[in-house]
Amino acid sequence: MMSQTWIILGATSTIARSFARLASERGDGVLLAGRDTVDMKATATDCAVRGAPLAEVIAFDARDSRSFAAILKRVDSIEGTLSVAVFVGSMPSQDEIDADPSLILGTVTDNFTGPAEFLTTIAPVLEARGSGVIAGIGSVAGDRGRIGNYVYGAAKAGFHTYLSGLRNRMGRKGVHVMTVKPGTVDTAMTWGMGKLPFLAQPEKVAADILRGADRQKDTLYSPLIWWPVMTVIRLIPERVFKKLKI
Ligand SMILES: NC(=O)c1ccc[n+]([C@@H]2O[C@H](COP(=O)([O-])OP(=O)(O)OC[C@H]3O[C@@H](n4cnc5c(N)ncnc54)[C@H](OP(=O)(O)O)[C@@H]3O)[C@@H](O)[C@H]2O)c1
């Protein structure tokens, strides 16, 4: 089988770290991209020990497209299948955003436009290779705008729609695009938020993402319970939904 290397964007994310370890254990390479190189170097060492044939760190900031060029240059000399997993995201609370609306721009950039700009930049490289997977991490929050986090949700919804279009474009060139919609996950993003429904462990979500990528899923709810939950939530008529606080 041809070797696979994952470009992991937002590699300091709790879910990304689990994903990188799992991918390494089965012999995939990992190019860890993110803002905190010290943290990523520790993950790279761990990945190499676990069996990754390539485990490197590269600086990436979704808010600065000038950081993209170095990644494109590096992957040029990597042989085999190239895949991308996007874990970048940020979630200021809705209260923080209401108090400071200027936070909206950064939220939309981290969750949607930054990753979309990177993926649009690298898309021709993957198309030319004619293989690989792009796994974009969205959120169940993007399925319906609700009182508790509708700016974050709107950014994720934008990313979902972008990924749907990218899937439509790249599938015919042999590159599969998967939209991942995790529910609540026990990570840095949710620490301190109290008791959350169906809270999943990052290792479980990471394993789902790797399996979903292998099976070329289009949309993946993780854990799966969120698929029926969100189907019901989406079906609630707006005149009822607008009065709920869920
Ligand atoms: N936890 C949940 O309940 C949950 C639910 C649904 C979806 N998700 C999504 O899952 C993904 C992973 O999140 P997580 O739960 O693992 O939380 P996390 O540990 O807070 O990860 C978020 C990651 O995004 C990175 N990031 C943020 N802005 C960035 C930027 N401008 N440039 C580069 N990297 C940036 C962070 O890097 P730094 O370390 O440099 O800050 C961090 O690595 C996110 O897209 C999140 O929205 C999470």
Side-chain angles (χ1 to χ4, degrees):
M1 216 173 92
M2 227 199 318
S3 67
Q4 185 175 27
T5 300
W6 287 94
I7 304 171
I8 302 183
L9 300 180
T12 54
S13 126
T14 321
I15 306 171
R17 245 183 264 136
S18 287
F19 180 87
R21 281 191 212 115
L22 281 178
S24 302
E25 279 164 8
R26 67 175 207 181
D28 291 354
V30 291
L31 186 57
L32 306 170
R35 297 187 289 201
D36 185 342
T37 40
V38 174
D39 181 293
M40 291 190 296
K41 274 183 185 152
T43 307
T45 306
D46 190 13
C47 289
V49 169
R50 285 167 195 264
L54 178 149
E56 289 176 21
V57 165
I58 200 156
F60 165 81
D61 185 342
R63 297 192 190 192
D64 180 6
S65 57
R66 284 168 303 183
S67 69
F68 301 176
I71 302 181
L72 265 79
K73 191 158 180 282
R74 177 63 191 93
V75 298
D76 209 28
S77 55
I78 296 177
E79 283 173 7
T81 297
L82 203 55
S83 291
V84 187
V86 184
F87 292 91
V88 181
S90 66
M91 187 176 71
S93 74
Q94 190 62 47
D95 286 345
E96 285 172 298
I97 290 172
D98 291 344
D100 179 3
S102 71
L103 292 175
I104 292 176
L105 185 58
T107 308
V108 172
T109 309
D110 293 343
N111 291 290
F112 170 25
T113 55
E117 193 176 346
F118 178 82
L119 291 176
T120 304
T121 307
I122 202 162
V125 175
L126 268 61
E127 281 178 331
R129 289 179 179 232
S131 65
V133 176
I134 293 173
I137 318 303
S139 171
V140 295
D143 275 3
R144 194 158 191 181
R146 53 183 191 82
I147 192 165
N149 66 354
Y150 55 91
V151 167
Y152 171 74
K156 290 297 195 188
F159 193 42
H160 295 169
T161 305
Y162 170 81
L163 290 170
S164 156
L166 195 65
R167 177 161 45 246
N168 201 195
R169 162 183 166 182
M170 298 192 73
R172 64 200 71 206
K173 299 276 176 63
V175 183
H176 181 68
V177 178
M178 174 172 76
T179 308
V180 183
K181 298 182 180 179
T184 47
V185 192
D186 191 8
T187 70
M189 197 171 266
T190 52
W191 283 332
M193 287 176 70
K195 200 170 161 5
L196 296 166
F198 309 116
L199 188 69
Q201 290 310 307
E203 296 79 13
K204 155 77 180 148
V205 175
D208 280 356
I209 297 169
L210 202 53
R211 196 176 330 105
D214 288 346
R215 295 182 184 177
Q216 304 212 332
K217 294 273 182 206
D218 294 321
T219 300
L220 177 77
Y221 282 90
S222 176
L224 194 59
I225 181 69
W226 287 95
W227 176 68
V229 169
M230 295 316 296
T231 302
V232 170
I233 288 181
R234 268 200 314 268
L235 284 171
I236 301 171
E238 192 65 18
R239 92 191 116 73
V240 176
F241 191 78
K242 69 182 180 186
K243 295 185 184 134
L244 301 178
K245 202 170 177 185
I246 52 174

